[in-house]
Amino acid sequence: MSTAHPYLPDASSSVGPPLWLLLELTYRCPLQCVFCYNPVDFASVENELTTQEWLRVLQESRALGSVQLGLSGGEPLVRDDVEEITAEAHRLGYYTNLITSGVGLSRERLTELKRAGLDHIQLSFQDSTREMNDFLSHTRTFELKRRCAEWIKSSGYQMVLNCVIHRLNIDHLETIIDMAARMGADYLELANTQYYSWAHLNREHLLPSRAQLERAEQTMRQWRERLKGKMRIFFVVPDYYEQRPKRCANGWGTTLMTVAPDGTALPCHTAKMLPGLSFPNVREHGMRDIWFDSEGFNRFRGQGWMKEPCASCEERDKDLGGCRCQAYLLAHDAGATDPVCAKSPHHHVVLAAVERAQQPRAPEAPLVFRRKESSRALAQRP
Ligand code: SF4
Ligand code: FES
């Protein structure tokens, strides 16, 4: 008789389990951030999964070997079943992480989430002042976020603050770090904008200059020293300023499975935009078939798909050719070398964007906020 734990993955498979499961419970969100990573056509996604469907996803993924769960969106708390989903995830043995703007949180809800077994909360800010926070999110949310931070701290959670960094707020790094320290944050993630989706659309406004980045790194180093032992600060340079790409999502189909609000299963947040690829829906397929056997998850697994210069590059095991979505956005070919790589024949596209970012002039195109109307208009573009 087999004594295997029911949640251990199938040992006969050479592909490991989707250790990290990210449920994008909804694309609905009261905020309208200019760097949002949700698809630009999010407004056309309807028909969110029901609570029962999400619970089935959790159960099947856990049976496959998933251990880490992210609940995100949009704003996940616009759904009233986050507590129920969290409770089931906790019962199944996931480590649960809620990624929220704070809108929709209350003291009572936090108590309920804690009772349901929520392990971790990540609260986002857009900047350190009410004016900039509210401008960048196009909503009056700064005061609410401050209250949320207090509730999170007083309910005994480690406080993890996240602030997406870009050209419009990078010069405020000092006050952002100071704000986080005053709030008693244990961790501060200064996440440099990744140029996909809405951030790609607004890239001319958001890509910092080299001088801004250098000042920011210096500020960050000073504060790291000053806050040693009290608050940890994470800061990653935007990859446009690197010579080599990142190993995106730890490698396509190796670790991460994202499920979009309508049930589309994806190897990363933005893969759905890649042309010529079909991704399965959890309403029609079991998680095991999706992970191991679907075309979408297998297309860029391993290295067999690589072209030159990646195919014969000695660094290919390290970065797996970089990000497929970035390759599509910048080189119009999801199978190309990520143009961030200095060896890519398309690297000049990145250099040109970096060059433009050194100029002080304001971009001609207006900043586009993540609004339903803009999303519908963008979806109709040829
Ligand atoms: Fe990585 Fe490809 Fe660049 Fe080599 S050529 S460093 S594998 S992205
Ligand atoms: Fe899609 Fe990198 S974001 S592969």
Side-chain angles (χ1 to χ4, degrees):
M1 195 172 85
S2 168
T3 53
H5 189 284
Y7 296 135
L8 282 181
D10 182 355
S12 66
S13 169
S14 60
V15 178
L19 293 173
W20 169 231
L21 176 68
L22 180 67
L23 305 186
E24 295 188 324
L25 296 177
T26 179
Y27 285 148
R28 288 175 289 149
C29 183
L31 276 66
Q32 301 173 6
C33 300
V34 292
F35 49 75
C36 180
Y37 65 77
N38 284 165
V40 286
D41 64 351
F42 76 89
S44 59
V45 176
E46 291 167 348
N47 209 2
E48 282 175 14
L49 295 190
T50 63
T51 310
Q52 288 312 311
E53 286 170 323
W54 284 122
L55 299 188
R56 183 175 58 74
V57 168
L58 283 179
Q59 290 151 8
E60 289 185 22
S61 279
R62 186 74 180 107
L64 266 183
S66 300
V67 288
Q68 182 103 3
L69 177 72
L71 299 172
S72 80
E75 172 46 65
L77 291 172
V78 302
R79 287 188 62 125
D80 60 11
D81 55 1
V82 180
E83 293 82 344
E84 193 176 343
I85 291 169
T86 303
E88 177 64 359
H90 178 68
R91 187 188 74 75
L92 291 165
Y94 283 96
Y95 184 84
T96 52
N97 182 17
L98 176 68
I99 300 154
T100 179
S101 66
V103 180
L105 196 63
S106 62
R107 250 188 216 288
E108 295 69 34
R109 250 191 128 177
L110 192 57
T111 308
E112 272 312 304
L113 285 164
K114 190 146 200 206
R115 195 171 296 145
L118 182 68
D119 293 298
H120 190 274
I121 305 182
Q122 182 185 301
L123 177 68
S124 65
F125 275 82
Q126 276 68 19
D127 205 326
S128 52
T129 62
R130 182 184 304 120
E131 293 69 28
M132 277 308 284
N133 182 85
D134 294 358
F135 167 69
L136 290 165
S137 63
H138 217 251
T139 48
R140 294 209 179 103
T141 49
F142 187 68
E143 288 307 324
L144 170 71
K145 285 169 182 286
R146 277 230 293 237
R147 282 202 301 280
C148 287
E150 281 170 24
W151 298 333
I152 292 170
K153 190 76 189 168
S154 64
S155 56
Y157 279 108
Q158 288 224 311
M159 184 139 59
V160 183
L161 295 188
N162 168 284
C163 187
V164 175
I165 299 296
H166 44 75
R167 190 179 184 93
L168 304 175
N169 67 2
I170 194 166
D171 294 329
H172 312 154
L173 215 60
E174 175 127 21
T175 54
I176 294 170
I177 299 173
D178 186 46
M179 173 189 79
R182 283 170 196 274
M183 286 176 173
D186 299 285
Y187 297 90
L188 173 63
E189 188 182 299
L190 299 167
N192 263 293
T193 305
Q194 311 236 7
Y195 295 96
Y196 307 101
S197 305
W198 295 83
H200 183 248
L201 209 64
N202 287 314
R203 190 181 66 191
E204 298 272 308
H205 293 266
L206 299 178
L207 189 62
S209 69
R210 187 168 279 112
Q212 282 184 303
L213 261 180
E214 284 167 3
R215 281 197 300 273
E217 283 184 291
Q218 202 183 1
T219 305
M220 192 267 309
R221 273 198 296 273
Q222 287 163 353
W223 278 85
R224 255 190 197 157
E225 200 49 44
R226 203 181 299 175
L227 296 171
K228 218 177 196 164
K230 292 187 192 141
M231 183 174 95
R232 292 188 67 190
I233 305 173
F234 298 95
F235 180 85
V236 183
V237 175
D239 60 2
Y240 276 46
Y241 281 90
E242 303 278 16
Q243 295 293 305
R244 292 289 181 269
K246 63 183 182 300
R247 182 181 174 120
C248 194
N250 196 39
W252 182 280
T254 63
T255 315
L256 173 71
M257 168 127 68
T258 298
V259 183
D262 65 355
T264 309
L266 300 164
C268 70
H269 310 301
T270 44
K272 203 173 171 187
M273 70 173 167
L274 301 178
L277 269 185
S278 69
F279 292 102
N281 193 295
V282 301
R283 284 191 167 116
E284 288 139 27
H285 303 271
M287 299 303 271
R288 172 170 292 274
D289 290 350
I290 289 174
W291 181 252
F292 288 108
D293 297 326
S294 66
E295 187 232 345
F297 277 84
N298 281 320
R299 178 67 183 83
F300 295 114
R301 263 191 179 129
Q303 300 180 4
W305 56 272
M306 285 181 181
K307 304 177 190 173
E308 293 299 341
C310 293
S312 60
C313 178
E314 67 284 0
E315 296 177 64
R316 66 185 185 279
D317 290 339
K318 203 165 19 158
D319 59 39
L320 295 174
C323 173
R324 298 306 86 226
C325 296
Q326 193 145 267
Y328 172 65
L329 283 172
L330 301 181
H332 311 292
D333 175 3
T337 296
D338 185 335
V340 158
C341 181
K343 299 183 189 182
S344 157
H346 299 98
H347 187 55
H348 62 91
V349 179
V350 173
L351 293 180
V354 166
E355 180 55 37
R356 279 197 298 282
Q358 312 315 311
Q359 297 160 15
R361 66 175 174 77
E364 281 159 25
L367 200 55
V368 187
F369 290 89
R370 175 214 193 264
R371 304 170 68 169
K372 273 193 177 166
E373 305 76 56
S374 320
S375 171
R376 290 200 187 99
L378 287 161
Q380 280 163 13
R381 279 189 314 189

